[in-house]
Amino acid sequence: MDYRKAYWFEQPHMSGMFNVAVQPIVDPRDGRLHFAVPDSGIWALTGKVIKDTGDYFEFECNDSVMGARGGTYKFSALDIKTFRKETWKWIAQGKDIAECCQNTADLHFWYRKNWPNSRVAEIGAWEMEENRRKGHRTDT
């Protein structure tokens, strides 16, 4: 999982319902996964990461907490080739996004710029403060 990327994911409780997750990050304070979903806001899932290869990760929800929205969410990093071939059709402004992004890095930047996850900065600030409190360097 890379908080600088955007991922394509299917909602396990709604077969065939795909969405984009922007800047996913796990909060070390409570283990919840936070990510921005365009036109929907910040989502938070309770559970744990069960697989992570960087460009692909799976998050297993705690169904006793998540209820009907539980299950295992599978996230695949967006790439420009797949986006231009098929993903753009399912995305608001998809054609415009595909045309303005020259490569995968541009695509991820576009999503971070237009749909930032405010929790990334908040969690980062908390982590820096924790490191300072513990006497760990924060400049490396």
Side-chain angles (χ1 to χ4, degrees), residues 80-91:
I80 196 67
K81 183 179 176 182
T82 305
F83 192 88
R84 286 183 176 150
K85 183 178 176 184
E86 56 190 62
T87 311
W88 72 270
K89 295 180 241 178
W90 306 104
I91 303 292

Side-chain angles (χ1 to χ4, degrees), residues 1 33 48-53 56-61 72-76:
M1 175 187 336
L33 173 65
K48 63 183 176 193
V49 175
I50 58 172
K51 182 175 186 175
D52 188 353
T53 64
Y56 176 84
F57 71 95
E58 294 179 6
F59 190 86
E60 183 178 67
C61 289
T72 300
Y73 288 69
K74 298 175 181 179
F75 298 81
S76 298

Side-chain angles (χ1 to χ4, degrees), residues 93-120:
Q93 303 174 319
K95 186 176 182 187
D96 294 335
I97 297 167
E99 290 174 359
C100 79
C101 297
Q102 301 302 308
N103 54 47
T104 298
D106 287 352
L107 183 60
H108 292 289
F109 177 78
W110 188 94
Y111 272 102
R112 284 194 316 271
K113 178 182 172 193
N114 290 283
W115 300 102
N117 178 355
S118 58
R119 299 302 304 258
V120 170

